[in-house]
Amino acid sequence: MKKNKIIVVDLDKSLIKVDIFIECLGRSFISAPIIFLKTIFILLFRRSISESKTFIAQNFNINIDTIPFNENVISYLKTCKNNGIKIVLSSGASEIHVSKIAQKLGLFDHFHGTTKTFNNIGTNKLNLLLNNYGENFIYLGDSKNDHVIWKKCKSAIVVGKYGKQLIKDNIAIVKTFDNNSMILRSALKQIRPHQWTKNLLIFVPSILSYHLFKSDVFFFNLNIFLSFSLIASSMYILNDINDVDNDRGHYDKKERPIASGNLSITNAYLLFIILFSLGIITSLIINLNFLYLIVIYIFLNYFYSLILKKIFLIDVLILTTFYCLRVLSGSIQETVPFSLWLMAFTFFIFFNLSLVKRFIDLVDLKNNLLDKIAGRVFKVEDIKIIQILGFISSLLAFLTLTFYILSEQVLKIYESSLLLFFIIPILIFWNVRIWFLASKGILNSDPVIYVLKDKTSYIVGLIVA
């Protein structure tokens, strides 16, 4: 590489792993729909992509400090900079975002972005570069949109797999960077199939009433399980899109597919549409009562993601409600009796486990010398309150179970309910153990993952069964 050469760097999916304009659009659709609609109006009716980029950059904030960068690219550019090569950032993203990123990195001699009247992509970008730097530059980019520039300068640094196209046009490839684009793996990780175990709660009412192995009940519940799993996974996607800034600032959640940039906002929405559509269609096939429950679940999930998770204790109550809806949906089959005792026990035990989840988060914060969860109201100082509420909810859960065992409803099913009392000390042991492990920081931030790998939990489950 000649010393007098300049490296011109593209931003979206090259220097960083995401497309800023698309990300702003995707996130504003959920949290700022008016800004989204205004941006679309400018884009479609004024036919000005440059104005739309500027408008959304001015009106929708994203945290530049936590955006996922291609660290290998940055490391390479720093080496080039130390060797006396000039580095220029030239992007189709809004100049507002480009300037902030250039300022953050302190790596670039000059930068260019899209203004209200100038869209800095394709031929426009090429002409700007030629006017400012001539043909003596190397261009770093990632896609066919950059091909017109590579064709002129004849020197390429490629992020991703576009290099094969450049060889055909006799364009010299100086260096390539793998963008680790494993869409299927990222999509599978994003839908969180391990969380589907929560939906096994659907089978609890039919198990307790000894109706599970009636073929009509079993397959009815199986369809509910499938629908709930699809809808739940689709809502995880919306939640992660909306919460991406907070996730990127979290020591653990920053590795989630959307937060890390491994799954683009566009692909995330496509995945959402597929899962959500299949889930709704399945729920329609089941019956209207289940559809009503699913609609309630969807609305609660949306407002939880947007507002409710930021309100003290309300977020825990909503998480508890999600579990209760699963159990309730298992009782909508006509032959499966509805049990108020079961719903009460479900509420208290899962309120307790939701508190465990928050407790784990706060213990992790304390261990990492942090004070607060980004985007949440809980602080480290709230640990004692969470523990007290956990004790109270545990006590109420086991009192409810005791009264249930003594109820007439149980006597109609069992000739003697004496053996059922042994379930209580077993569950108390399991619950105390979960809290103990959480206090020691042994549990994962997602207790479901831990329980799925925990032999003791399986033994407890078998004994109870």
Side-chain angles (χ1 to χ4, degrees):
M1 187 185 296
K2 295 180 181 179
K3 290 279 185 177
N4 63 336
K5 278 203 171 181
I6 297 168
I7 297 179
V8 178
V9 182
D10 188 26
L11 179 65
D12 296 324
K13 296 187 177 180
S14 297
L15 183 69
I16 61 177
K17 294 182 178 181
V18 298
D19 184 312
I20 288 187
F21 177 61
I22 297 297
E23 181 158 308
C24 286
L25 271 180
R27 290 167 57 186
S28 64
F29 175 76
I30 301 171
S31 59
I34 293 175
I35 292 173
F36 170 81
L37 290 172
K38 285 183 177 179
T39 306
I40 295 299
F41 176 83
I42 294 169
L43 191 62
L44 296 180
F45 294 97
R46 295 185 187 176
R47 296 186 179 182
S48 175
I49 190 168
S50 57
E51 188 180 347
S52 65
K53 287 179 181 179
T54 303
F55 172 81
I56 201 166
Q58 290 172 335
N59 293 279
F60 186 81
N61 293 324
I62 61 172
N63 191 347
I64 296 297
D65 292 332
T66 59
I67 279 184
F69 286 87
N70 274 317
E71 296 297 339
N72 291 337
V73 172
I74 292 175
S75 178
Y76 174 77
L77 293 175
K78 285 180 178 178
T79 301
C80 294
K81 180 81 171 176
N82 291 335
N83 290 332
I85 298 169
K86 288 185 177 181
I87 313 292
V88 176
L89 180 61
S90 186
S91 172
S94 169
E95 196 168 62
I96 296 169
H97 292 139
V98 175
S99 63
K100 288 180 180 178
I101 289 174
Q103 185 178 4
K104 172 182 170 60
L105 293 178
L107 185 63
F108 304 100
D109 296 280
H110 304 284
F111 64 83
H112 310 283
T114 292
T115 64
K116 192 173 182 179
T117 57
F118 178 76
N119 190 23
N120 190 33
I121 63 170
T123 305
N124 288 345
K125 183 191 285 192
L126 175 61
N127 291 332
L128 183 147
L129 294 175
L130 292 175
N131 290 335
N132 284 274
Y133 312 108
E135 298 181 13
N136 190 31
F137 65 87
I138 299 171
Y139 185 76
L140 187 155
D142 70 286
S143 69
K144 65 179 181 180
N145 293 328
D146 303 312
H147 195 93
V148 66
I149 302 171
W150 278 320
K151 201 169 182 179
K152 187 68 177 178
C153 70
K154 293 296 182 181
S155 296
I157 299 173
V158 185
V159 179
K161 300 177 180 178
Y162 194 72
K164 294 178 181 178
Q165 304 296 324
L166 301 179
I167 295 171
K168 297 176 183 178
D169 288 340
N170 296 318
I171 297 168
I173 298 175
V174 176
K175 190 171 180 61
T176 58
F177 293 94
D178 187 4
N179 60 6
N180 296 316
S181 180
M182 295 176 285
I183 295 176
L184 289 178
R185 181 183 294 182
S186 297
L188 183 62
K189 185 177 179 182
Q190 177 58 48
I191 65 176
R192 303 179 199 172
H194 65 275
Q195 296 284 6
W196 292 3
T197 54
K198 296 176 182 177
N199 300 327
L200 292 173
L201 289 170
I202 290 161
F203 295 93
V204 169
S206 56
I207 291 173
L208 295 179
S209 61
Y210 288 88
H211 287 78
L212 177 64
F213 294 109
K214 291 181 178 179
S215 60
D216 57 333
V217 174
F218 180 79
F219 286 108
F220 187 84
N221 285 341
L222 195 62
N223 287 332
I224 292 176
F225 176 87
L226 176 62
S227 179
F228 231 116
S229 298
L230 292 168
I231 293 294
S233 289
S234 70
M235 299 313 293
Y236 290 141
I237 295 171
L238 285 191
N239 183 63
D240 284 1
I241 292 173
N242 182 58
D243 215 28
V244 70
D245 269 345
N246 293 327
D247 286 350
R248 284 172 180 163
H250 192 276
Y251 56 92
D252 183 38
K253 295 178 181 178
K254 65 182 179 181
E255 299 302 329
R256 287 179 173 177
I258 296 173
S260 65
N262 291 329
L263 185 69
S264 70
I265 293 286
T266 305
N267 287 331
Y269 268 113
L270 179 61
L271 185 61
F272 165 79
I273 291 168
I274 294 170
L275 295 174
F276 187 82
S277 300
L278 290 173
I280 291 295
I281 291 169
T282 308
S283 64
L284 281 168
I285 293 171
I286 294 168
N287 66 30
L288 280 177
N289 289 332
F290 178 65
L291 180 63
Y292 296 149
L293 290 179
I294 282 294
V295 169
I296 292 170
Y297 177 80
I298 290 167
F299 274 97
L300 281 177
N301 237 303
Y302 176 76
F303 288 109
Y304 170 80
S305 177
L306 212 60
I307 302 168
L308 298 178
K309 69 181 178 184
K310 301 174 184 177
I311 304 174
F312 185 73
L313 283 184
I314 295 296
D315 72 323
V316 178
L317 286 169
I318 296 299
L319 287 176
T320 306
T321 304
F322 292 156
Y323 290 111
C324 290
L325 285 173
R326 288 171 167 91
V327 174
L328 185 58
S329 66
S331 301
I332 62 174
Q333 222 275 352
E334 292 179 359
T335 58
V336 178
F338 171 78
S339 170
L340 192 59
W341 287 111
L342 175 60
M343 291 308 303
F345 174 74
T346 300
F347 177 84
F348 290 124
I349 197 67
F350 282 105
F351 184 69
N352 170 62
L353 291 177
S354 297
L355 289 168
V356 172
K357 182 177 175 62
R358 286 292 162 261
F359 180 75
I360 292 168
D361 289 337
L362 295 178
V363 169
D364 284 346
L365 283 180
K366 187 177 181 181
N367 292 339
N368 286 277
L369 303 178
L370 300 171
D371 178 59
K372 186 179 178 182
I373 303 173
R376 303 295 176 102
V377 73
F378 287 105
K379 295 182 178 180
V380 169
E381 63 195 44
D382 297 324
I383 284 181
K384 288 293 180 185
I385 298 173
I386 298 297
Q387 285 178 309
I388 292 169
L389 289 172
F391 172 77
I392 293 171
S393 60
S394 299
L395 181 62
L396 290 171
F398 296 123
L399 280 174
T400 304
L401 182 58
T402 302
F403 291 139
Y404 170 66
I405 292 170
L406 294 170
S407 70
E408 291 183 6
Q409 190 170 358
V410 168
L411 293 175
K412 290 177 182 178
I413 302 173
Y414 301 93
E415 290 184 6
S416 173
S417 61
L418 183 64
L419 278 176
L420 295 179
F421 280 103
F422 288 100
I423 293 175
I424 297 172
I426 294 168
L427 290 181
I428 289 174
F429 159 76
W430 179 80
N431 185 61
V432 170
R433 180 174 176 271
I434 289 293
W435 276 96
F436 174 77
L437 294 175
S439 67
K440 296 297 181 182
I442 296 174
L443 260 67
N444 188 283
S445 59
D446 188 346
V448 174
I449 295 176
Y450 180 84
V451 170
L452 286 174
K453 298 177 181 178
D454 181 35
K455 293 179 181 178
T456 303
S457 294
Y458 282 106
I459 293 170
V460 167
L462 286 170
I463 293 172
V464 169

